[in-house]
Short mmCIF file of all heavy atoms in Angstrom, two decimals:
data_model
loop_
_atom_site.label_atom_id
_atom_site.label_comp_id
_atom_site.label_asym_id
_atom_site.label_seq_id
_atom_site.Cartn_x
_atom_site.Cartn_y
_atom_site.Cartn_z
N THR A 96 -9.57 -1.14 13.57
CA THR A 96 -10.69 -2.04 13.36
C THR A 96 -10.19 -3.30 12.71
O THR A 96 -9.09 -3.32 12.15
CB THR A 96 -11.78 -1.37 12.52
OG1 THR A 96 -12.92 -2.21 12.45
CG2 THR A 96 -11.27 -1.10 11.11
N LEU A 97 -10.98 -4.35 12.75
CA LEU A 97 -10.58 -5.61 12.13
C LEU A 97 -11.08 -5.67 10.70
O LEU A 97 -12.22 -5.34 10.40
CB LEU A 97 -11.11 -6.80 12.92
CG LEU A 97 -10.39 -7.15 14.22
CD1 LEU A 97 -11.12 -8.24 14.95
CD2 LEU A 97 -8.96 -7.54 13.96
N LEU A 98 -10.17 -6.14 9.81
CA LEU A 98 -10.57 -6.35 8.42
C LEU A 98 -11.25 -7.72 8.30
O LEU A 98 -11.18 -8.56 9.21
CB LEU A 98 -9.32 -6.30 7.52
CG LEU A 98 -8.59 -4.96 7.52
CD1 LEU A 98 -7.24 -5.13 6.85
CD2 LEU A 98 -9.41 -3.92 6.82
N GLN A 99 -11.85 -7.96 7.14
CA GLN A 99 -12.54 -9.26 6.92
C GLN A 99 -11.62 -10.42 7.07
O GLN A 99 -12.01 -11.48 7.55
CB GLN A 99 -13.19 -9.26 5.53
CG GLN A 99 -14.55 -8.60 5.49
CD GLN A 99 -15.29 -8.93 4.21
OE1 GLN A 99 -14.68 -9.19 3.16
NE2 GLN A 99 -16.61 -8.90 4.27
N GLY A 100 -10.35 -10.28 6.66
CA GLY A 100 -9.43 -11.38 6.74
C GLY A 100 -8.89 -11.61 8.13
O GLY A 100 -8.08 -12.52 8.36
N GLY A 101 -9.31 -10.81 9.10
CA GLY A 101 -8.86 -10.96 10.48
C GLY A 101 -7.71 -10.07 10.84
O GLY A 101 -7.31 -9.99 11.99
N SER A 102 -7.13 -9.36 9.84
CA SER A 102 -6.04 -8.46 10.15
C SER A 102 -6.58 -7.13 10.64
O SER A 102 -7.77 -6.84 10.50
CB SER A 102 -5.20 -8.23 8.90
OG SER A 102 -4.67 -9.45 8.45
N GLU A 103 -5.67 -6.35 11.18
CA GLU A 103 -6.06 -5.10 11.77
C GLU A 103 -5.79 -3.95 10.79
O GLU A 103 -4.82 -3.96 10.05
CB GLU A 103 -5.22 -4.87 13.04
CG GLU A 103 -5.31 -3.50 13.65
CD GLU A 103 -4.24 -3.28 14.69
OE1 GLU A 103 -3.50 -4.24 15.02
OE2 GLU A 103 -4.07 -2.14 15.16
N LYS A 104 -6.68 -2.96 10.77
CA LYS A 104 -6.48 -1.78 9.96
C LYS A 104 -6.43 -0.57 10.86
O LYS A 104 -7.37 -0.32 11.60
CB LYS A 104 -7.62 -1.60 8.92
CG LYS A 104 -7.46 -0.33 8.09
CD LYS A 104 -8.50 -0.26 7.00
CE LYS A 104 -8.30 0.98 6.16
NZ LYS A 104 -9.26 1.05 5.01
N LEU A 105 -5.34 0.15 10.81
CA LEU A 105 -5.17 1.40 11.56
C LEU A 105 -5.47 2.57 10.65
O LEU A 105 -4.94 2.69 9.55
CB LEU A 105 -3.75 1.53 12.06
CG LEU A 105 -3.36 0.87 13.40
CD1 LEU A 105 -1.89 1.03 13.67
CD2 LEU A 105 -4.17 1.47 14.54
N TYR B 33 2.59 -5.23 7.62
CA TYR B 33 1.89 -4.14 6.95
C TYR B 33 2.89 -3.19 6.26
O TYR B 33 3.98 -2.97 6.79
CB TYR B 33 1.10 -3.30 7.97
CG TYR B 33 0.24 -4.08 8.92
CD1 TYR B 33 0.78 -4.74 10.04
CD2 TYR B 33 -1.15 -4.15 8.73
CE1 TYR B 33 -0.02 -5.45 10.90
CE2 TYR B 33 -1.97 -4.86 9.62
CZ TYR B 33 -1.38 -5.50 10.70
OH TYR B 33 -2.18 -6.21 11.56
N LEU B 45 -2.49 3.11 4.79
CA LEU B 45 -2.24 1.68 4.71
C LEU B 45 -2.19 1.27 3.24
O LEU B 45 -3.07 1.63 2.45
CB LEU B 45 -3.37 0.92 5.43
CG LEU B 45 -3.26 -0.60 5.40
CD1 LEU B 45 -2.05 -1.09 6.17
CD2 LEU B 45 -4.56 -1.20 5.99
N PHE B 47 -0.69 -2.26 2.15
CA PHE B 47 -0.88 -3.71 2.06
C PHE B 47 -0.86 -4.35 3.45
O PHE B 47 -0.20 -3.85 4.36
CB PHE B 47 0.26 -4.34 1.24
CG PHE B 47 0.39 -3.88 -0.17
CD1 PHE B 47 1.40 -3.00 -0.52
CD2 PHE B 47 -0.51 -4.28 -1.15
CE1 PHE B 47 1.52 -2.54 -1.81
CE2 PHE B 47 -0.39 -3.83 -2.44
CZ PHE B 47 0.63 -2.94 -2.78
N VAL B 48 -1.59 -5.46 3.56
CA VAL B 48 -1.59 -6.23 4.80
C VAL B 48 -1.35 -7.69 4.43
O VAL B 48 -1.95 -8.21 3.48
CB VAL B 48 -2.95 -6.13 5.55
CG1 VAL B 48 -2.91 -6.96 6.82
CG2 VAL B 48 -3.29 -4.69 5.85
N THR B 55 -4.08 -9.93 2.62
CA THR B 55 -5.49 -9.79 2.96
C THR B 55 -6.06 -8.41 2.63
O THR B 55 -7.24 -8.19 2.74
CB THR B 55 -5.72 -10.09 4.46
OG1 THR B 55 -4.93 -9.16 5.22
CG2 THR B 55 -5.34 -11.50 4.82
N GLU B 56 -5.16 -7.51 2.24
CA GLU B 56 -5.64 -6.18 1.96
C GLU B 56 -4.73 -5.51 0.95
O GLU B 56 -3.50 -5.54 1.10
CB GLU B 56 -5.67 -5.30 3.25
CG GLU B 56 -6.20 -3.89 3.06
CD GLU B 56 -7.71 -3.82 3.07
OE1 GLU B 56 -8.37 -4.86 3.16
OE2 GLU B 56 -8.23 -2.68 2.99
N ASN B 57 -5.32 -4.96 -0.09
CA ASN B 57 -4.59 -4.12 -1.05
C ASN B 57 -5.41 -2.85 -1.14
O ASN B 57 -6.50 -2.85 -1.71
CB ASN B 57 -4.50 -4.81 -2.40
CG ASN B 57 -3.81 -3.94 -3.45
OD1 ASN B 57 -3.80 -2.71 -3.35
ND2 ASN B 57 -3.23 -4.57 -4.44
N GLU B 96 -1.84 -11.19 15.27
CA GLU B 96 -3.28 -11.32 15.14
C GLU B 96 -3.73 -12.56 15.88
O GLU B 96 -3.24 -13.66 15.59
CB GLU B 96 -3.67 -11.38 13.66
CG GLU B 96 -3.20 -10.17 12.88
CD GLU B 96 -3.76 -8.87 13.43
OE1 GLU B 96 -4.86 -8.87 14.03
OE2 GLU B 96 -3.10 -7.84 13.27
N ILE B 102 -7.53 -6.92 19.33
CA ILE B 102 -6.59 -6.23 18.45
C ILE B 102 -5.33 -5.92 19.26
O ILE B 102 -5.39 -5.35 20.34
CB ILE B 102 -7.22 -4.94 17.93
CG1 ILE B 102 -8.33 -5.26 16.91
CG2 ILE B 102 -6.17 -4.06 17.26
CD1 ILE B 102 -9.00 -4.06 16.33
#
Side-chain angles (χ1 to χ4, degrees):
Chain A
T96 186
L97 283 174
L98 298 167
Q99 275 194 333
S102 301
E103 170 193 353
K104 177 174 182 176
L105 275 175
Chain B
Y33 311 78
L45 178 65
F47 300 105
V48 180
T55 58
E56 182 83 357
N57 177 335
E96 302 302 332
I102 290 180

